């Protein structure tokens, strides 16, 4: 699934049935244990409501009434409709919509990409998760590398900055525990005091979306007290004078008013961070889901460059490691097929965050056919009311490839049943460590399920696409991926992967730590770390407590709908326990009292985009509160149709975009909350 940990799993199979799933003790990051979600994955595998046969819709869109059909009929209907849309409106009237239901490369961005490129379909900008942070790393580092998880054990100070390690990245935790056993301190910086924050030595709670100001404030102190590594900065960075002058405007007093973190704490944190060696920052994607999210990541990354922390084993910073997997994705995806499509050029690009607009406003051509796989946009995309309005269009032909009858599946014209990762071959990279993995099918595909890869192969044949690439086997495609010349992949072959299952990239010699930027080596045009001060001046998000006055007077609370610890986006939305967990709103007692809200009350969260009813969770005392006054938190996210009132938190979130990268601003979201029942 979509997780930085990308675990190595062992399964016991008895008479063709999986009986036990566990973490592989031999994998240096999985280390023999699983999170609560995957430990229960066999329940999902054999869940009676799993989709097993192709179906066509017989009720209204969204209603969820379907009838079984054959694969032949399903494929004929799809091919006919895609051809018609393509002939009448041009192939760009077809839009694929996918994200990371599986992170497997073949089933996530393989035959599907070839298919849509050959068709000339609109391209999808897959921004919904990490686009702002990714753009920030590209601009600052020129590469998506980060500190190896194993090295955290050697840190003396670990900052979890917008990183709920125990919730969304639990395989980092044993390394944190080991570091603390050796005397390290562990701090969290997060508007929400989640499981991880509760176990921290200190928790700092900035206002939502104010991390840029906080990072500049820390830099202010580090410059003022000359705590930076002048040698590292001189040798390996670019733009420090502009950055110094920007930081000089962020004195602790001002930063206190922008972030809510006390000036003395800012000074102490800056000193401690700059003088403790090694110090490591685990920043996760929560930080960049706000209006200034890209700049925030750049300013946080600047701290590691300023202090020269990249020199140290157990230093540096980790947001993503995905850039080290220099696979030949062009050979997998074959973008050049677009030139052979009726379009004869590269197709237009639509941003997945703006799906609602794509389905209701975009013309020239309008979207007439939508093919969804590895994603559940009717639940996970922002501005849900508009998304649903678009999905309900009678003149839109929708195909959904799914394992389960999700909210999105209910809008399908044709619904195709697909396999799980236990039932098909795939190649997996990771965004949290440096091991590449292969996985072969260990369980039979139930009913008439097929992998995404097979489904798109059959569709390509139905469309009459003649290119031999549509007959490539899974192994052909893996070989193509491994076929580049990147040194990190040297010696990694399909045969070796089949033998060893997981293989560490050649990022450093065996047994030696990977220090990506110890001696510079940044991938930017200058080869240096780019501070980028000209884009880092802080203004509070429009939707925040210091934002647009007309908004915050009506909607004074900052909503953070961050991930639920025991589910995976909407993937487990059919589970009643997951649904209970995602039907809660955490409030501070000071916000609850004037609204006459008590623990367990039914409340309505509302803003100008929509509304959603949830159960209030209000602790007895302020010390136990998960959030500071002015912040509410909704663990996310479930299925809309499973919620008691058929409502969803993403009716409130905005389809606005981040400062860079075109990412979503899920956590810049002002709301009001009112009691609406006991
Ligand atoms: N259990 C579980 N694990 C998951 C997922 C899941 O749904 N559930 N989802 C997977 C996915 S898709 C992803 S992208 C990854 C990474 O997932 P993350 O994006 O890292 O997880 P989140 O919980 O959304 O955000 C991390 C933390 O950032 C905090 N945060 C929110 N706004 C701000 C802010 O303005 N400033 C600061 N400093 N912190 C802020 C949140 O309160 C949260 O504690 O996790 C993956 N793992
Ligand atoms: N309010 C709010 N909204 C959010 C977020 C948030 O924090 N708060 N997080 C955002 C983030 S970071 C992300 S990444 C997105 C996640 O959004 P999505 O990527 O849409 O994630 P899921 O909701 O888990 O849906 C994945 C679907 O893929 C299906 N699937 C799994 N494997 C396969 C396969 O092999 N083939 C096919 N065809 N389907 C498969 C699963 O059954 C599941 O229904 O949500 C975003 N939405
Ligand atoms: Mo994500």
């Amino acid at each position: 699934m979509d997780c930085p940990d990308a675990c190595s799993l062992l399964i016991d199979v008895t008479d063709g049935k999986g009986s036990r799933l566990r973490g592989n003790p031999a994998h240096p990051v999985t280390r023999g244990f699983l999170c609560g979600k995957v430990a229960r994955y066999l329940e999902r595998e054999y869940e009676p409501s799993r989709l097993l046969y192709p179906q066509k819709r017989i009720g209204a869109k969204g209603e969820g009434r379907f009838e079984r059909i054959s694969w032949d009929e399903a494929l004929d209907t799809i091919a006919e409709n895609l051809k018609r849309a393509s002939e009448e409106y041009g192939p760009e009237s077809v839009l694929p919509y996918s994200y990371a239901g599986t992170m497997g490369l073949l089933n996530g961005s393989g035959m599907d990409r070839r298919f849509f490129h050959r068709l000339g379909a609109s391209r999808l900008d897959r921004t919904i998760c990490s686009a702002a942070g990714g753009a920030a790393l590209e601009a600052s580092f020129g590469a998506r590398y980060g500190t190896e998880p194993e090295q955290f054990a050697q840190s003396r100070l670990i900052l979890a900055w917008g990183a709920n390690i125990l919730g969304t990245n639990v395989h980092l935790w044993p390394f944190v525990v080991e570091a603390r056993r050796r005397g390290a301190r562990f701090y969290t910086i997060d508007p929400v005091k989640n499981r991880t924050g509760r176990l921290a030595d200190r928790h700092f709670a900035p206002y939502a979306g104010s991390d840029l100001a906080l990072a500049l404030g820390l830099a202010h102190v580090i410059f003022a007290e000359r705590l930076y590594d002048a040698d590292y900065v001189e040798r390996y960075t670019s733009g420090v004078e502009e950055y110094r002058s920007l930081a000089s405007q962020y004195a602790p007093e001002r930063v206190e008013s922008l972030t809510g973190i006390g000036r003395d704490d800012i000074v102490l944190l800056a000193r401690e961070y700059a003088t403790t060696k090694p110090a490591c920052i685990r920043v996760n994607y929560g930080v960049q889901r706000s209006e200034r999210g890209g700049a925030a990541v750049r300013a946080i990354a600047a701290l590691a460059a300023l202090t020269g922390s990249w020199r140290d084993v157990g230093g540096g910073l980790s947001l993503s490691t995905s850039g080290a997997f220099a696979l030949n994705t062009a050979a997998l995806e074959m973008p050049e097929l677009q030139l052979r499509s009726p379009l004869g050029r590269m197709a237009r690009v639509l941003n997945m965050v703006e799906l609602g607009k794509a389905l209701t406003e975009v013309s020239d051509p309008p979207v007439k056919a939508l093919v969804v796989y590895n994603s559940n946009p009717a639940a996970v995309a922002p501005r849900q009311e508009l998304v649903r309005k678009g999905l309900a269009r009678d003149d839109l032909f929708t195909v959904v490839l799914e394992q389960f009858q999700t909210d999105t599946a209910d809008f399908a014209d044709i619904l195709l049943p697909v396999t799980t990762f236990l039932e098909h071959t795939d190649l997996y990279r990771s965004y949290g460590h440096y091991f590449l993995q292969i996985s072969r099918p260990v369980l039979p595909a139930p009913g008439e399920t097929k992998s995404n890869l097979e489904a798109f192969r059959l569709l390509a044949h139905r469309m009459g696409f003649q290119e031999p690439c549509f007959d490539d086997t899974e192994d052909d495609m893996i070989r193509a991926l491994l076929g580049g010349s990147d040194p990190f992949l040297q010696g990694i072959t399909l045969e070796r992967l089949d033998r060893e299952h997981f293989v560490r990239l050649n990022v450093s010699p065996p047994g030696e730590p990977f220090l990506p930027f110890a001696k510079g080596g940044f991938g930017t045009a200058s080869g240096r770390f780019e501070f980028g001060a000209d884009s880092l001046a802080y203004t509070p998000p429009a939707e925040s407590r210091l934002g647009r006055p007309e908004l915050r007077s009506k909607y004074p609370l900052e909503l953070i709908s961050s991930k639920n610890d025991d589910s995976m986006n909407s993937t487990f939305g059919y589970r009643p326990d997951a649904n209970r967990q995602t039907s809660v709103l955490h409030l501070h007692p000071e916000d609850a009292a004037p609204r006459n809200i008590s623990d367990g009350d039914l409340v309505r969260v509302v803003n100008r985009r929509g509304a959603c009813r949830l159960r209030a969770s209000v602790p007895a005392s302020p010390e136990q509160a998960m959030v500071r006054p002015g912040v509410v938190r909704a663990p996310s996210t479930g299925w809309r149709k499973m919620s008691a009132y058929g409502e969803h938190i993403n009716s409130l979130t905005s389809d606005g975009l981040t400062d860079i990268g075109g990412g979503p601003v899920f956590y810049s979201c002002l709301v009001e909350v009112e009691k609406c029942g006991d």
Side-chain angles (χ1 to χ4, degrees), residues 421-442:
F421 68 87
L422 296 170
E423 301 157 0
H424 56 238
T425 291
D426 220 321
L427 187 73
Y428 299 88
R429 54 187 167 193
S430 157
Y431 57 100
H433 58 65
Y434 290 104
F435 294 86
L436 183 67
Q437 285 189 78
I438 196 169
S439 136
R440 296 293 190 180
V442 286

Side-chain angles (χ1 to χ4, degrees), residues 2-4 37 129 161-164 167-168 189-192 194 206 208-209 211 284-287 289 431 560 562-569 636 667:
D2 186 351
C3 179
K37 308 173 288 288
C129 175
W161 199 320
N164 179 11
T168 62
I189 304 174
D190 195 314
V192 178
N194 50 40
D211 304 271
N284 211 335
Y285 285 108
V287 164
R289 282 186 202 109
Y431 57 100
I560 296 185
S562 55
K563 316 265 182 248
N564 180 37
D565 286 351
D566 297 316
S567 44
M568 172 54 71
N569 302 318
S636 297
Y667 309 158

Side-chain angles (χ1 to χ4, degrees), residues 36 39 108 150 182 190 234 309 368 376 464 475 517 576 671:
E150 302 92 311
R182 300 183 191 178
D190 195 314
E234 159 75 27
S309 164
K368 300 296 277 185
N376 181 14
D475 288 5
F517 308 126
V671 301

